[in-house]
Amino acid sequence: MDIIEFYKKCRQCPRKCGVNRVVEALETTRPLGFCREPADLRIAFAGLHFGEEPLVTVFGGSGTIFFTGCTLRCAFCQNYQISQDGFGRIVDKAEFVDICLRLQAAGAENINLVTGSHHIPRIAEYLRAARDGGVTVPFCWNSSAYESVEMLELLSGLVTIWLPDLKTLDSAFSKKLFAAPDYPETATSAIKWMIENNPLEIAEIPEPPNAKPAEWAEPGEPRDKMLSGVIIRHLFMPGHFAETADVLGWLKENADGRAIISLMNQYTPVPFEEDSQKLAARTAALSSIENRLVNTEEDSDIRDLIEAYDFEYLFYQELTDDTSWLPDFRRPQPFSNKLATPIWHCQHKL
């Protein structure tokens, strides 16, 4: 099928809006689907990221590419400027390949495709062009897992590393926070497909000269690098221990030993800058959770839960009250210098 056919009556994501996205890009009168994106691919930022899981960051950092738009628009999203407010610009195939090559030349361990679920057919086309153009590092799919298996199959043979979220198994919770009561069923189906089709392959990589130091690694020692497989992320929501217990139970049964688990405690209230109408709607959605940092008692309870489940391979963050990592994509360096190295920006020449 011609790629453009996927966009004429779009049913790419589980929302199946049926909108014709093949119209003049950014035309104010065009019909909008939930993702609010046309058929043109838009990108906000690309750079080496050192805050991903160690298996993905390794020595050189993960070569992240942040796409504009999203199929979920979570009420608490730290990347709301690009996922919900449309920040980014159109990038054609040639420029996409150039971005990938620049990341690879800068030392990226992989090309990390962040939130591209609403553009899978076009991204698949661009990834084939990137391979033909000389990109040799693995491609990594970083998503909410709110995706259909039919669409994910278009990435088979291209993407080998998968970083899906499993946000919740509670449909009422997912309806309140991202207007997707079908999220639990959809995400678990997508994750099962990822696991079945991408067995774990991890290689030990010796430290290269002038390697960037990492808090989690000893200087001079080799580090593990994921070449294929799935890392399933779950963000603990303050005040919602039961949701996390349910998710870990599902992961123990369906993913332990076959995928890596990454349990995150970094929930951080975001200082949203938007008009009063948007802010009121967001505040209403956020009322379903305790919009605050995780406290030490919750952290201790989570550690007890992790010990009880005894996963074969699980990452868990150290608790911190540092909020300086929250990104601002309007800046040429959206993150701290410790966390990322900018390579490309939609509004600034780097």
Side-chain angles (χ1 to χ4, degrees), residues 169-198:
L169 296 176
D170 186 328
S171 61
F173 197 52
S174 62
K175 181 179 181 179
K176 291 175 183 175
L177 283 173
F178 30 88
D182 60 333
Y183 175 85
E185 179 182 357
T186 301
T188 51
S189 294
I191 290 170
K192 285 180 178 179
W193 179 90
M194 293 174 191
I195 294 172
E196 289 292 333
N197 290 276
N198 299 273

Side-chain angles (χ1 to χ4, degrees), residues 17-81:
C17 297
V19 168
N20 179 12
R21 295 167 61 183
V22 188
V23 289
E24 185 66 26
L26 307 183
E27 179 185 328
T28 56
T29 58
R30 67 180 171 86
L32 295 172
F34 189 90
C35 71
R36 308 184 70 81
E37 289 300 301
D40 301 285
L41 189 70
R42 295 202 291 160
I43 294 173
F45 170 81
L48 302 178
H49 201 296
F50 297 92
E52 304 285 46
E53 287 80 3
L55 289 173
V56 179
T57 301
V58 201
F59 291 106
S62 186
T64 48
I65 299 176
F66 288 82
F67 297 105
T68 305
C70 184
T71 61
L72 277 190
R73 287 189 277 157
C74 300
F76 50 84
C77 183
Q78 68 193 44
N79 296 340
Y80 77 99
Q81 294 164 323

Side-chain angles (χ1 to χ4, degrees), residues 132-271:
D132 292 342
V135 176
T136 58
V137 295
F139 290 118
C140 173
W141 190 253
N142 188 335
S143 76
S144 68
Y146 191 58
E147 300 156 319
S148 72
V149 169
E150 179 185 10
M151 286 293 104
L152 292 177
E153 286 175 344
L154 298 179
L155 298 171
S156 291
L158 295 167
V159 171
T160 57
I161 301 171
W162 302 77
L163 271 64
D165 293 337
L166 184 52
K167 297 177 183 293
T168 182
L169 296 176
D170 186 328
S171 61
F173 197 52
S174 62
K175 181 179 181 179
K176 291 175 183 175
L177 283 173
F178 30 88
D182 60 333
Y183 175 85
E185 179 182 357
T186 301
T188 51
S189 294
I191 290 170
K192 285 180 178 179
W193 179 90
M194 293 174 191
I195 294 172
E196 289 292 333
N197 290 276
N198 299 273
L200 285 173
E201 182 181 354
I202 298 171
E204 189 176 74
I205 307 297
E207 182 177 288
N210 304 316
K212 185 181 179 71
E215 295 175 356
W216 43 266
E218 293 294 327
E221 293 296 316
R223 300 180 191 175
D224 286 344
K225 176 178 180 175
M226 177 176 276
L227 303 176
S228 172
V230 184
I231 300 176
I232 306 166
R233 294 169 163 174
H234 173 70
L235 175 65
F236 171 73
M237 308 295 274
H240 285 267
F241 183 81
E243 274 82 6
T244 289
D246 288 344
V247 167
L248 290 183
W250 188 91
L251 292 173
K252 181 65 179 179
E253 180 179 350
N254 294 278
D256 190 26
R258 304 170 65 206
I260 310 301
I261 312 304
S262 181
L263 182 55
M264 301 179 292
N265 60 18
Q266 65 186 35
Y267 181 90
T268 304
V270 177

